[in-house]
Amino acid sequence: MAICDTCAYLAYDEEYDEDICTMNLDEDDLARFYSSDAKQCPYYRNGDEYAVVRHQAT
Protein backbone atom coordinates (compact mmCIF):
# COMPACT_ATOMS: atom_id res chain seq x y z
CA MET A 1 0.00 0.00 0.00
CA ALA A 2 1.71 3.18 -1.15
CA ILE A 3 -0.35 5.38 1.16
CA CYS A 4 1.44 3.79 4.13
CA ASP A 5 4.55 5.78 3.17
CA THR A 6 2.91 8.97 4.47
CA CYS A 7 1.16 7.44 7.49
CA ALA A 8 1.99 8.76 10.95
CA TYR A 9 1.96 5.20 12.30
CA LEU A 10 4.76 3.98 10.01
CA ALA A 11 8.15 3.63 11.69
CA TYR A 12 11.45 2.11 10.70
CA ASP A 13 12.52 -0.86 12.83
CA GLU A 14 16.30 -1.27 12.82
CA GLU A 15 16.12 -4.77 14.29
CA TYR A 16 14.01 -6.09 11.41
CA ASP A 17 15.45 -3.61 8.86
CA GLU A 18 12.00 -2.69 7.56
CA ASP A 19 9.12 -0.28 8.06
CA ILE A 20 6.41 -1.41 10.46
CA CYS A 21 3.00 -0.14 11.46
CA THR A 22 3.03 1.06 15.06
CA MET A 23 -0.76 1.20 15.38
CA ASN A 24 -1.67 -0.75 18.50
CA LEU A 25 -4.19 -3.34 17.28
CA ASP A 26 -5.53 -6.23 19.31
CA GLU A 27 -6.01 -9.65 17.70
CA ASP A 28 -9.65 -9.00 16.80
CA ASP A 29 -8.87 -5.67 15.12
CA LEU A 30 -5.97 -7.18 13.20
CA ALA A 31 -8.06 -10.13 11.99
CA ARG A 32 -10.88 -7.78 10.94
CA PHE A 33 -8.40 -5.55 9.11
CA TYR A 34 -6.78 -8.42 7.18
CA SER A 35 -10.08 -10.09 6.30
CA SER A 36 -11.82 -6.95 5.02
CA ASP A 37 -12.01 -5.96 1.38
CA ALA A 38 -11.38 -2.31 2.21
CA LYS A 39 -9.02 -0.57 -0.17
CA GLN A 40 -7.91 1.98 2.43
CA CYS A 41 -6.58 1.50 5.93
CA PRO A 42 -9.16 2.66 8.50
CA TYR A 43 -6.34 3.71 10.85
CA TYR A 44 -4.45 5.91 8.37
CA ARG A 45 -3.41 9.31 9.69
CA ASN A 46 -1.43 11.73 7.57
CA GLY A 47 2.04 12.12 9.04
CA ASP A 48 2.59 15.48 7.35
CA GLU A 49 2.06 17.97 10.16
CA TYR A 50 2.22 20.91 7.78
CA ALA A 51 -0.49 19.73 5.37
CA VAL A 52 -3.17 21.79 7.13
CA VAL A 53 -1.01 24.92 7.09
CA ARG A 54 -0.27 24.54 3.37
CA HIS A 55 -3.97 24.03 2.70
CA GLN A 56 -4.90 27.18 4.63
CA ALA A 57 -2.23 29.25 2.84
CA THR A 58 -3.71 28.57 -0.60
Side-chain angles (χ1 to χ4, degrees):
M1 218 187 286
I3 198 156
C4 289
D5 294 340
T6 60
C7 185
Y9 297 115
L10 189 69
Y12 181 74
D13 188 324
E14 292 180 6
E15 182 178 336
Y16 293 107
D17 193 31
E18 63 184 24
D19 291 324
I20 60 167
C21 180
T22 60
M23 183 67 193
N24 190 12
L25 302 174
D26 65 13
E27 290 181 26
D28 294 332
D29 288 336
L30 191 60
R32 194 175 309 114
F33 177 66
Y34 283 134
S35 66
S36 75
D37 292 334
K39 300 296 183 198
Q40 294 181 347
C41 176
Y43 306 106
Y44 174 80
R45 188 179 79 185
N46 191 343
D48 184 3
E49 297 173 2
Y50 298 104
V52 173
V53 175
R54 281 195 301 274
H55 178 71
Q56 290 175 346
T58 59

Coordinates of all heavy atoms in Angstrom, one line a residue:
M1 N 0.8 -1.2 0.0 CA 0.0 0.0 0.0 C 0.9 1.2 0.0 O 1.6 1.5 0.9 CB -0.9 0.0 1.3 CG -2.2 0.5 1.0 SD -3.2 0.6 2.6 CE -3.5 -1.1 3.0
A2 N 0.9 2.0 -1.0 CA 1.7 3.2 -1.1 C 1.3 4.3 -0.2 O 2.2 5.1 0.2 CB 1.6 3.7 -2.6
I3 N 0.1 4.3 0.2 CA -0.3 5.4 1.2 C 0.3 5.2 2.5 O 0.4 6.1 3.3 CB -1.9 5.4 1.3 CG1 -2.3 6.8 1.8 CG2 -2.4 4.3 2.1 CD1 -3.7 7.2 1.5
C4 N 0.8 4.0 2.9 CA 1.4 3.8 4.1 C 2.7 4.6 4.3 O 3.1 4.9 5.4 CB 1.8 2.3 4.3 SG 0.4 1.3 4.6
D5 N 3.3 5.0 3.1 CA 4.5 5.8 3.2 C 4.4 7.1 3.9 O 5.3 7.7 4.4 CB 5.1 6.0 1.8 CG 5.5 4.7 1.1 OD1 5.8 3.7 1.8 OD2 5.6 4.7 -0.1
T6 N 3.2 7.7 3.9 CA 2.9 9.0 4.5 C 2.1 8.9 5.8 O 1.8 9.9 6.4 CB 2.1 9.9 3.5 OG1 0.8 9.2 3.2 CG2 2.9 10.1 2.2
C7 N 1.9 7.6 6.3 CA 1.2 7.4 7.5 C 2.0 7.8 8.7 O 3.2 7.4 8.8 CB 0.7 6.0 7.6 SG -0.4 5.7 9.0
A8 N 1.3 8.4 9.7 CA 2.0 8.8 10.9 C 2.3 7.5 11.8 O 3.2 7.6 12.6 CB 1.1 9.7 11.8
Y9 N 1.7 6.4 11.5 CA 2.0 5.2 12.3 C 3.1 4.3 11.7 O 3.4 3.3 12.2 CB 0.7 4.4 12.4 CG -0.4 5.1 13.2 CD1 -1.6 5.4 12.5 CD2 -0.3 5.4 14.5 CE1 -2.6 6.1 13.2 CE2 -1.3 6.1 15.2 CZ -2.4 6.4 14.5 OH -3.4 7.1 15.2
L10 N 3.7 4.8 10.6 CA 4.8 4.0 10.0 C 6.1 4.4 10.6 O 6.4 5.5 10.8 CB 4.8 4.2 8.5 CG 5.7 3.3 7.7 CD1 5.2 1.9 7.7 CD2 5.9 3.8 6.3
A11 N 6.8 3.4 11.1 CA 8.1 3.6 11.7 C 9.1 2.6 11.2 O 8.8 1.4 10.9 CB 8.0 3.6 13.2
Y12 N 10.4 3.0 11.1 CA 11.4 2.1 10.7 C 12.0 1.3 11.9 O 12.3 1.9 12.9 CB 12.6 2.9 10.0 CG 13.7 2.0 9.6 CD1 13.5 1.2 8.4 CD2 14.9 1.9 10.3 CE1 14.6 0.4 8.0 CE2 15.9 1.1 9.8 CZ 15.7 0.3 8.7 OH 16.8 -0.5 8.3
D13 N 12.0 0.0 11.8 CA 12.5 -0.9 12.8 C 13.9 -1.3 12.4 O 14.1 -2.1 11.5 CB 11.6 -2.0 13.0 CG 11.9 -2.9 14.2 OD1 13.1 -3.1 14.5 OD2 11.0 -3.4 14.9
E14 N 14.9 -0.9 13.1 CA 16.3 -1.3 12.8 C 16.6 -2.8 13.0 O 17.4 -3.4 12.3 CB 17.3 -0.5 13.7 CG 17.3 1.0 13.3 CD 18.2 1.8 14.1 OE1 19.0 1.2 14.9 OE2 18.2 3.1 14.0
E15 N 15.9 -3.4 14.0 CA 16.1 -4.8 14.3 C 15.7 -5.6 13.1 O 16.3 -6.6 12.7 CB 15.4 -5.2 15.6 CG 15.6 -6.6 16.0 CD 14.8 -7.0 17.2 OE1 14.6 -6.0 18.1 OE2 14.5 -8.1 17.4
Y16 N 14.5 -5.3 12.5 CA 14.0 -6.1 11.4 C 14.4 -5.5 10.1 O 14.1 -6.1 9.0 CB 12.5 -6.2 11.5 CG 12.0 -7.0 12.7 CD1 11.4 -6.4 13.8 CD2 12.2 -8.4 12.7 CE1 11.0 -7.1 14.9 CE2 11.7 -9.1 13.8 CZ 11.2 -8.5 14.8 OH 10.7 -9.3 15.9
D17 N 15.0 -4.3 10.1 CA 15.4 -3.6 8.9 C 14.3 -3.4 7.9 O 14.4 -3.6 6.7 CB 16.6 -4.4 8.2 CG 17.3 -3.6 7.1 OD1 17.3 -2.3 7.3 OD2 17.8 -4.2 6.1
E18 N 13.2 -3.0 8.4 CA 12.0 -2.7 7.6 C 11.1 -1.7 8.3 O 11.1 -1.5 9.5 CB 11.3 -4.0 7.2 CG 10.7 -4.7 8.4 CD 10.0 -6.0 8.0 OE1 10.4 -6.6 6.9 OE2 9.2 -6.5 8.7
D19 N 10.1 -1.2 7.5 CA 9.1 -0.3 8.1 C 8.0 -1.1 8.7 O 7.6 -2.2 8.1 CB 8.5 0.6 7.0 CG 9.5 1.7 6.5 OD1 10.3 2.1 7.3 OD2 9.5 2.0 5.3
I20 N 7.5 -0.7 9.8 CA 6.4 -1.4 10.5 C 5.3 -0.4 10.9 O 5.6 0.7 11.1 CB 6.9 -2.2 11.7 CG1 7.5 -1.2 12.7 CG2 7.9 -3.3 11.3 CD1 7.7 -1.8 14.1
C21 N 4.1 -0.9 11.0 CA 3.0 -0.1 11.5 C 3.0 -0.2 13.0 O 3.0 -1.3 13.6 CB 1.7 -0.7 10.9 SG 0.2 0.2 11.5
T22 N 3.0 1.0 13.6 CA 3.0 1.1 15.1 C 1.6 1.2 15.7 O 1.5 1.4 16.9 CB 3.9 2.2 15.5 OG1 3.4 3.4 15.0 CG2 5.4 2.0 15.1
M23 N 0.6 1.1 14.9 CA -0.8 1.2 15.4 C -1.0 0.0 16.3 O -0.7 -1.1 16.0 CB -1.8 1.2 14.2 CG -3.2 1.3 14.6 SD -3.4 3.0 15.3 CE -5.0 2.8 16.0
N24 N -1.5 0.3 17.5 CA -1.7 -0.7 18.5 C -3.0 -1.4 18.3 O -4.1 -0.9 18.7 CB -1.6 -0.1 19.9 CG -1.6 -1.2 21.0 OD1 -1.4 -2.4 20.7 ND2 -1.8 -0.8 22.2
L25 N -3.0 -2.6 17.6 CA -4.2 -3.3 17.3 C -4.2 -4.6 18.1 O -3.2 -5.3 18.2 CB -4.2 -3.7 15.8 CG -4.1 -2.6 14.8 CD1 -4.0 -3.2 13.4 CD2 -5.3 -1.7 14.9
D26 N -5.4 -4.9 18.6 CA -5.5 -6.2 19.3 C -5.8 -7.3 18.2 O -5.9 -7.0 17.1 CB -6.6 -6.2 20.4 CG -8.0 -6.0 19.9 OD1 -8.2 -6.1 18.6 OD2 -8.9 -5.7 20.7
E27 N -5.9 -8.6 18.7 CA -6.0 -9.7 17.7 C -7.3 -9.5 16.9 O -7.3 -9.8 15.7 CB -6.0 -11.0 18.4 CG -4.6 -11.3 19.0 CD -4.6 -12.7 19.7 OE1 -5.5 -13.5 19.4 OE2 -3.8 -12.9 20.6
D28 N -8.4 -9.1 17.5 CA -9.6 -9.0 16.8 C -9.6 -7.9 15.7 O -10.0 -8.1 14.6 CB -10.8 -8.7 17.8 CG -11.1 -9.9 18.7 OD1 -10.8 -11.0 18.3 OD2 -11.5 -9.6 19.8
D29 N -9.0 -6.8 16.1 CA -8.9 -5.7 15.1 C -8.0 -6.1 14.0 O -8.3 -5.8 12.8 CB -8.3 -4.4 15.8 CG -9.2 -3.7 16.7 OD1 -10.5 -3.9 16.5 OD2 -8.8 -3.0 17.6
L30 N -6.9 -6.8 14.2 CA -6.0 -7.2 13.2 C -6.6 -8.2 12.3 O -6.5 -8.1 11.0 CB -4.7 -7.8 13.8 CG -3.5 -8.0 12.9 CD1 -3.1 -6.7 12.2 CD2 -2.4 -8.6 13.6
A31 N -7.4 -9.1 12.8 CA -8.1 -10.1 12.0 C -9.1 -9.5 11.1 O -9.3 -9.8 9.9 CB -8.7 -11.2 12.9
R32 N -9.9 -8.5 11.7 CA -10.9 -7.8 10.9 C -10.2 -7.0 9.8 O -10.8 -6.9 8.7 CB -11.6 -6.9 11.9 CG -12.9 -6.3 11.3 CD -13.7 -5.5 12.4 NE -13.9 -6.2 13.6 CZ -13.4 -5.9 14.8 NH1 -12.6 -4.8 14.9 NH2 -13.6 -6.6 15.9
F33 N -9.1 -6.4 10.1 CA -8.4 -5.5 9.1 C -7.9 -6.4 7.9 O -8.1 -6.1 6.8 CB -7.2 -4.8 9.8 CG -6.4 -4.0 8.8 CD1 -6.9 -2.9 8.2 CD2 -5.1 -4.4 8.6 CE1 -6.1 -2.2 7.3 CE2 -4.3 -3.6 7.7 CZ -4.8 -2.5 7.1
Y34 N -7.3 -7.6 8.2 CA -6.8 -8.4 7.2 C -7.9 -9.1 6.4 O -7.7 -9.4 5.2 CB -5.8 -9.5 7.8 CG -4.5 -8.9 8.1 CD1 -3.8 -9.2 9.3 CD2 -3.8 -8.1 7.2 CE1 -2.6 -8.7 9.6 CE2 -2.5 -7.6 7.5 CZ -1.9 -7.9 8.6 OH -0.7 -7.4 8.9
S35 N -9.0 -9.4 7.0 CA -10.1 -10.1 6.3 C -11.0 -9.2 5.5 O -11.8 -9.6 4.7 CB -10.9 -10.9 7.3 OG -11.6 -10.1 8.2
S36 N -10.9 -7.9 5.7 CA -11.8 -7.0 5.0 C -11.4 -6.7 3.6 O -10.2 -6.9 3.2 CB -11.9 -5.6 5.7 OG -10.7 -4.9 5.5
D37 N -12.3 -6.3 2.8 CA -12.0 -6.0 1.4 C -11.8 -4.5 1.2 O -11.7 -4.0 0.1 CB -13.2 -6.4 0.5 CG -13.3 -7.9 0.4 OD1 -12.3 -8.6 0.6 OD2 -14.4 -8.4 0.2
A38 N -11.6 -3.8 2.3 CA -11.4 -2.3 2.2 C -10.1 -2.0 1.4 O -9.1 -2.6 1.6 CB -11.3 -1.7 3.6
K39 N -10.2 -1.0 0.6 CA -9.0 -0.6 -0.2 C -8.1 0.4 0.6 O -7.0 0.7 0.2 CB -9.5 0.1 -1.5 CG -10.3 -0.8 -2.3 CD -9.5 -2.0 -2.8 CE -10.3 -2.9 -3.7 NZ -9.8 -4.2 -3.9
Q40 N -8.7 1.0 1.7 CA -7.9 2.0 2.4 C -7.8 1.5 3.9 O -8.8 0.9 4.4 CB -8.6 3.4 2.4 CG -8.5 4.0 1.0 CD -9.1 5.4 1.0 OE1 -9.8 5.7 1.9 NE2 -8.9 6.1 -0.1
C41 N -6.8 1.8 4.5 CA -6.6 1.5 5.9 C -7.5 2.4 6.8 O -7.4 3.6 6.7 CB -5.1 1.7 6.3 SG -4.8 1.4 8.1
P42 N -8.3 1.8 7.7 CA -9.2 2.7 8.5 C -8.4 3.4 9.6 O -9.0 4.3 10.2 CB -10.1 1.6 9.1 CG -9.4 0.4 9.1 CD -8.5 0.4 7.9
Y43 N -7.1 3.1 9.8 CA -6.3 3.7 10.8 C -5.4 4.7 10.3 O -4.6 5.3 11.1 CB -5.6 2.6 11.6 CG -6.5 1.6 12.2 CD1 -6.5 0.3 11.6 CD2 -7.4 1.9 13.2 CE1 -7.4 -0.6 12.1 CE2 -8.2 0.9 13.7 CZ -8.2 -0.3 13.1 OH -9.1 -1.3 13.6
Y44 N -5.4 5.0 9.0 CA -4.5 5.9 8.4 C -4.6 7.3 9.0 O -5.7 7.8 9.1 CB -4.7 6.0 6.9 CG -3.8 7.0 6.2 CD1 -2.5 6.8 5.9 CD2 -4.4 8.2 5.9 CE1 -1.7 7.7 5.3 CE2 -3.6 9.2 5.3 CZ -2.3 9.0 5.0 OH -1.5 9.9 4.4
R45 N -3.4 7.9 9.3 CA -3.4 9.3 9.7 C -2.2 9.9 9.0 O -1.1 9.4 9.1 CB -3.2 9.4 11.2 CG -3.4 10.9 11.7 CD -3.3 10.9 13.2 NE -1.8 10.9 13.4 CZ -1.3 10.9 14.6 NH1 -2.1 10.8 15.7 NH2 0.0 10.8 14.8
N46 N -2.5 11.1 8.3 CA -1.4 11.7 7.6 C -0.3 12.2 8.5 O -0.6 12.9 9.5 CB -2.0 12.9 6.8 CG -1.0 13.5 5.8 OD1 0.1 13.3 5.9 ND2 -1.6 14.3 4.9
G47 N 0.9 11.8 8.2 CA 2.0 12.1 9.0 C 2.6 13.5 8.7 O 3.6 13.9 9.4
D48 N 2.1 14.2 7.7 CA 2.6 15.5 7.3 C 1.9 16.5 8.2 O 0.8 16.9 8.0 CB 2.3 15.7 5.9 CG 2.9 17.0 5.4 OD1 3.5 17.8 6.2 OD2 2.7 17.3 4.2
E49 N 2.6 17.0 9.2 CA 2.1 18.0 10.2 C 1.8 19.3 9.5 O 1.0 20.1 10.1 CB 3.0 18.2 11.3 CG 3.2 16.9 12.1 CD 4.3 17.0 13.2 OE1 4.8 18.1 13.3 OE2 4.6 16.1 13.9
Y50 N 2.4 19.6 8.4 CA 2.2 20.9 7.8 C 1.2 20.9 6.7 O 1.0 21.9 6.0 CB 3.6 21.4 7.2 CG 4.6 21.6 8.3 CD1 5.6 20.6 8.5 CD2 4.5 22.6 9.2 CE1 6.5 20.8 9.5 CE2 5.4 22.8 10.2 CZ 6.4 21.9 10.4 OH 7.3 22.0 11.4
A51 N 0.5 19.8 6.4 CA -0.5 19.7 5.4 C -1.6 20.7 5.6 O -2.1 21.4 4.7 CB -1.0 18.3 5.3
V52 N -2.1 20.9 6.8 CA -3.2 21.8 7.1 C -2.7 23.2 6.9 O -3.5 24.0 6.3 CB -3.6 21.6 8.6 CG1 -4.6 22.7 9.0 CG2 -4.2 20.2 8.8
V53 N -1.5 23.6 7.3 CA -1.0 24.9 7.1 C -0.9 25.2 5.6 O -1.3 26.3 5.2 CB 0.4 25.1 7.8 CG1 1.0 26.5 7.5 CG2 0.2 24.8 9.3
R54 N -0.4 24.3 4.8 CA -0.3 24.5 3.4 C -1.6 24.7 2.7 O -1.8 25.5 1.9 CB 0.5 23.4 2.7 CG 2.0 23.5 2.9 CD 2.7 22.6 1.9 NE 2.4 21.2 2.1 CZ 2.9 20.3 2.9 NH1 3.9 20.7 3.8 NH2 2.5 19.1 3.0
H55 N -2.6 23.9 3.2 CA -4.0 24.0 2.7 C -4.6 25.4 3.0 O -5.3 26.0 2.2 CB -4.8 22.9 3.3 CG -6.3 22.9 2.8 ND1 -6.6 22.6 1.5 CD2 -7.4 23.3 3.5 CE1 -7.9 22.8 1.4 NE2 -8.4 23.2 2.6
Q56 N -4.3 25.9 4.2 CA -4.9 27.2 4.6 C -4.2 28.3 3.9 O -4.8 29.4 3.7 CB -4.7 27.4 6.1 CG -5.6 26.5 7.0 CD -5.3 26.6 8.4 OE1 -4.3 27.2 8.9 NE2 -6.2 26.1 9.2
A57 N -3.0 28.2 3.5 CA -2.2 29.3 2.8 C -2.7 29.4 1.4 O -2.4 30.5 0.8 CB -0.7 29.0 2.9
T58 N -3.3 28.4 0.8 CA -3.7 28.6 -0.6 C -5.1 29.1 -0.8 O -5.9 29.2 0.1 CB -3.6 27.2 -1.3 OG1 -4.4 26.3 -0.7 CG2 -2.2 26.8 -1.4

